[in-house]
Amino acid sequence: MNIVLLGAPGAGKGTQAAKLVEEFGTPHISTGDMLRAAVKAGTPLGKKAKSYMDAGDLVPDEVIIGLVTERLQEPDTARGFILDGFPRTSAQAVALDAELGKLERPLDAALLVDVDFEVIIGRLTSRRMCRDCGYIGSAADAACPKCSGEMYQRDDDNETTVRNRLDVYEKSTAPLIDYYRGCDLLVSIDGDRDVEEVYADVKKALGL
């Protein structure tokens, strides 16, 4: 299966991707990880990306698409891939489709893990992290259940920041959802349930 993964920050799409990877061995291609790897390896596209990142600029679409195209030609993607974090806009989706067409590897589905924004805000603002071991828990944890360390709220989990991230997501990604719906590729799953229930629905919807 060739899949694009969609969903707001905190919707749980990363969890579902991890479960697909574990069961089927499909490579989970995160554009952030891919950028860091290309920069570290010093590839021509990695060097190009680094020049933009060092200047504090966004890495242009053509560089990202070049990196994605390179990555999709590696042997581990022969049986499929899960793209996460790209495309982020309709223009990127059109460019990606063109590259996948050249590779004769079209998308099978755009999987949207859909959760109401108020639910996500509740999830993220109640999230706490252990200062010592990095365990992720909730506001109910007075101390870390793993190492008894201090639990704290990360700066990006406060309500103002979470609402801003969701606002940015909605503005940039809502047109992308419409694009894939128009291509008859959108598969929407209710993510506001137990992780295993959501995963069962994901597999059913993808015919796995």
Side-chain angles (χ1 to χ4, degrees), residues 85-122:
F86 186 87
R88 288 183 184 272
T89 64
S90 304
Q92 289 178 350
V94 171
L96 175 66
D97 281 349
E99 290 303 320
L100 292 176
K102 289 178 200 169
L103 296 173
E104 297 183 355
R105 303 186 65 191
L107 288 174
D108 294 300
L111 177 65
L112 170 65
V113 180
D114 195 21
V115 180
D116 183 86
F117 280 7
E118 291 305 317
V119 172
I120 290 175
I121 290 162

Coordinates of all heavy atoms in Angstrom, one line a residue, residues 85-122:
G85 N 3.7 13.9 7.0 CA 4.2 15.3 7.1 C 4.4 15.9 5.7 O 4.8 17.0 5.5
F86 N 4.0 15.1 4.7 CA 4.1 15.6 3.3 C 3.2 14.8 2.4 O 3.1 13.6 2.6 CB 5.5 15.4 2.7 CG 5.7 16.1 1.4 CD1 6.0 17.4 1.2 CD2 5.5 15.3 0.2 CE1 6.2 18.0 0.0 CE2 5.6 15.9 -1.0 CZ 5.9 17.2 -1.1
P87 N 2.4 15.4 1.6 CA 2.3 16.8 1.3 C 1.6 17.6 2.4 O 0.7 17.0 3.1 CB 1.6 16.9 0.0 CG 0.7 15.7 -0.1 CD 1.5 14.6 0.7
R88 N 1.8 18.9 2.4 CA 1.1 19.8 3.4 C 0.1 20.7 2.7 O -0.7 21.3 3.4 CB 2.1 20.6 4.2 CG 2.9 19.8 5.2 CD 3.8 20.6 6.0 NE 4.6 19.9 7.0 CZ 4.3 19.5 8.2 NH1 3.1 19.9 8.6 NH2 5.1 18.9 8.9
T89 N 0.3 20.8 1.4 CA -0.6 21.8 0.7 C -1.1 21.1 -0.6 O -0.5 20.1 -1.1 CB 0.1 23.0 0.3 OG1 1.2 22.7 -0.7 CG2 0.7 23.8 1.5
S90 N -2.1 21.6 -1.2 CA -2.6 21.0 -2.5 C -1.6 21.1 -3.6 O -1.4 20.1 -4.4 CB -3.9 21.8 -2.9 OG -4.8 21.8 -1.9
A91 N -0.8 22.2 -3.6 CA 0.2 22.3 -4.7 C 1.3 21.2 -4.5 O 1.7 20.6 -5.5 CB 0.9 23.7 -4.6
Q92 N 1.7 20.9 -3.3 CA 2.6 19.8 -3.0 C 2.0 18.5 -3.4 O 2.7 17.6 -3.9 CB 3.0 19.8 -1.5 CG 3.9 20.9 -1.1 CD 4.2 20.9 0.3 OE1 3.7 20.2 1.1 NE2 5.2 21.8 0.8
A93 N 0.7 18.3 -3.2 CA 0.0 17.0 -3.5 C 0.0 16.8 -5.0 O 0.3 15.7 -5.5 CB -1.4 17.1 -3.0
V94 N -0.2 17.9 -5.8 CA -0.2 17.8 -7.3 C 1.2 17.4 -7.7 O 1.4 16.5 -8.6 CB -0.7 19.1 -7.9 CG1 -0.5 19.1 -9.4 CG2 -2.1 19.4 -7.6
A95 N 2.2 18.1 -7.2 CA 3.6 17.8 -7.6 C 4.0 16.3 -7.2 O 4.6 15.6 -7.9 CB 4.6 18.8 -6.9
L96 N 3.5 15.9 -6.0 CA 3.8 14.5 -5.6 C 3.2 13.5 -6.5 O 3.8 12.5 -6.9 CB 3.3 14.3 -4.2 CG 3.4 12.9 -3.6 CD1 4.9 12.5 -3.4 CD2 2.7 12.7 -2.3
D97 N 1.9 13.8 -6.9 CA 1.2 12.9 -7.8 C 2.0 12.8 -9.1 O 2.1 11.7 -9.7 CB -0.2 13.4 -8.1 CG -1.2 13.1 -7.0 OD1 -0.8 12.3 -6.1 OD2 -2.3 13.6 -7.0
A98 N 2.5 13.9 -9.6 CA 3.3 13.9 -10.9 C 4.5 13.0 -10.8 O 4.8 12.2 -11.6 CB 3.7 15.3 -11.3
E99 N 5.2 13.1 -9.6 CA 6.5 12.3 -9.4 C 6.1 10.8 -9.3 O 6.8 10.0 -9.8 CB 7.2 12.8 -8.2 CG 7.9 14.2 -8.4 CD 8.8 14.2 -9.6 OE1 9.6 13.3 -9.8 OE2 8.8 15.3 -10.3
L100 N 5.1 10.5 -8.5 CA 4.7 9.1 -8.3 C 4.2 8.5 -9.6 O 4.4 7.3 -9.9 CB 3.5 9.0 -7.3 CG 3.9 9.4 -5.8 CD1 2.7 9.3 -4.9 CD2 5.0 8.4 -5.3
G101 N 3.6 9.4 -10.5 CA 3.2 8.9 -11.8 C 4.4 8.5 -12.7 O 4.4 7.4 -13.3
K102 N 5.5 9.3 -12.6 CA 6.7 9.0 -13.3 C 7.3 7.6 -12.8 O 7.9 6.9 -13.5 CB 7.8 10.1 -13.1 CG 7.4 11.4 -13.9 CD 8.5 12.4 -13.6 CE 8.0 13.8 -13.9 NZ 9.0 14.8 -13.3
L103 N 7.2 7.4 -11.5 CA 7.7 6.2 -10.9 C 6.8 5.0 -11.0 O 7.1 3.9 -10.7 CB 8.0 6.4 -9.4 CG 9.0 7.4 -9.0 CD1 9.0 7.6 -7.4 CD2 10.4 7.0 -9.4
E104 N 5.6 5.3 -11.6 CA 4.5 4.3 -11.7 C 4.2 3.7 -10.4 O 4.0 2.5 -10.2 CB 5.0 3.2 -12.8 CG 5.2 3.7 -14.2 CD 5.5 2.7 -15.2 OE1 5.7 1.5 -14.8 OE2 5.6 3.0 -16.4
R105 N 4.1 4.6 -9.4 CA 3.8 4.1 -8.0 C 2.7 5.0 -7.4 O 2.9 5.8 -6.5 CB 5.0 4.1 -7.1 CG 6.1 3.3 -7.7 CD 7.3 3.1 -6.8 NE 6.9 2.5 -5.6 CZ 7.7 2.4 -4.5 NH1 8.8 3.0 -4.5 NH2 7.3 1.8 -3.4
P106 N 1.5 5.1 -8.0 CA 0.4 6.0 -7.5 C 0.0 5.7 -6.1 O 0.2 4.5 -5.6 CB -0.7 5.8 -8.5 CG -0.5 4.4 -9.0 CD 1.0 4.2 -9.1
L107 N -0.6 6.6 -5.5 CA -1.1 6.4 -4.1 C -2.3 5.5 -4.1 O -3.1 5.5 -5.1 CB -1.6 7.8 -3.5 CG -0.5 8.8 -3.1 CD1 -1.1 10.1 -2.7 CD2 0.4 8.2 -2.0
D108 N -2.5 4.7 -3.1 CA -3.6 3.9 -2.9 C -4.7 4.6 -2.0 O -5.9 4.3 -2.2 CB -3.3 2.5 -2.3 CG -2.4 1.7 -3.2 OD1 -2.9 1.4 -4.3 OD2 -1.2 1.4 -2.8
A109 N -4.2 5.4 -1.1 CA -5.1 6.0 -0.2 C -4.5 7.2 0.5 O -3.3 7.2 0.7 CB -5.6 5.0 0.9
A110 N -5.3 8.2 0.9 CA -4.9 9.3 1.8 C -5.7 9.0 3.1 O -6.9 9.2 3.1 CB -5.3 10.6 1.2
L111 N -5.0 8.5 4.1 CA -5.7 8.1 5.4 C -5.7 9.3 6.4 O -4.7 9.8 6.8 CB -4.9 7.0 6.0 CG -5.4 6.4 7.3 CD1 -6.8 5.8 7.2 CD2 -4.4 5.4 7.9
L112 N -7.0 9.7 6.7 CA -7.2 10.8 7.6 C -7.6 10.3 9.0 O -8.7 9.6 9.0 CB -8.3 11.8 7.1 CG -8.8 12.9 8.0 CD1 -7.6 13.8 8.4 CD2 -9.9 13.6 7.4
V113 N -6.8 10.5 10.0 CA -7.2 10.2 11.4 C -7.9 11.4 11.9 O -7.3 12.4 12.2 CB -6.0 9.7 12.2 CG1 -6.5 9.4 13.7 CG2 -5.3 8.5 11.6
D114 N -9.3 11.4 12.0 CA -10.1 12.5 12.2 C -10.5 12.6 13.7 O -11.1 11.7 14.2 CB -11.3 12.5 11.3 CG -12.0 13.8 11.2 OD1 -11.4 14.8 11.5 OD2 -13.2 13.8 10.9
V115 N -10.1 13.7 14.4 CA -10.5 13.9 15.8 C -11.0 15.4 15.9 O -10.3 16.3 15.4 CB -9.3 13.6 16.7 CG1 -9.7 13.8 18.2 CG2 -8.8 12.2 16.6
D116 N -12.1 15.6 16.6 CA -12.6 16.9 16.9 C -11.5 17.8 17.6 O -10.8 17.3 18.5 CB -13.8 16.8 17.8 CG -14.4 18.2 18.0 OD1 -15.2 18.7 17.2 OD2 -14.1 18.8 19.0
F117 N -11.3 19.0 17.2 CA -10.3 19.9 17.7 C -10.4 20.0 19.2 O -9.4 20.1 19.9 CB -10.3 21.2 17.0 CG -9.6 21.3 15.7 CD1 -9.2 20.1 15.1 CD2 -9.4 22.5 15.0 CE1 -8.6 20.1 13.8 CE2 -8.8 22.5 13.7 CZ -8.4 21.3 13.2
E118 N -11.6 20.2 19.8 CA -11.7 20.3 21.2 C -11.2 19.1 22.0 O -10.6 19.2 23.1 CB -13.2 20.6 21.6 CG -13.7 22.0 21.2 CD -12.8 23.2 21.6 OE1 -12.3 23.2 22.8 OE2 -12.5 24.1 20.8
V119 N -11.4 17.9 21.4 CA -10.9 16.7 22.0 C -9.3 16.7 22.0 O -8.7 16.4 23.0 CB -11.4 15.4 21.2 CG1 -10.7 14.2 21.7 CG2 -12.9 15.3 21.4
I120 N -8.8 17.2 20.9 CA -7.3 17.2 20.7 C -6.7 18.2 21.8 O -5.7 18.0 22.4 CB -6.9 17.6 19.3 CG1 -7.2 16.5 18.3 CG2 -5.4 18.0 19.3 CD1 -6.9 16.8 16.9
I121 N -7.4 19.4 21.9 CA -7.0 20.4 22.9 C -6.9 19.8 24.3 O -6.0 20.0 25.0 CB -7.8 21.7 22.8 CG1 -7.6 22.4 21.5 CG2 -7.6 22.6 24.0 CD1 -8.6 23.4 21.1
G122 N -8.0 19.1 24.6 CA -8.1 18.4 25.9 C -6.9 17.4 26.1 O -6.3 17.3 27.1

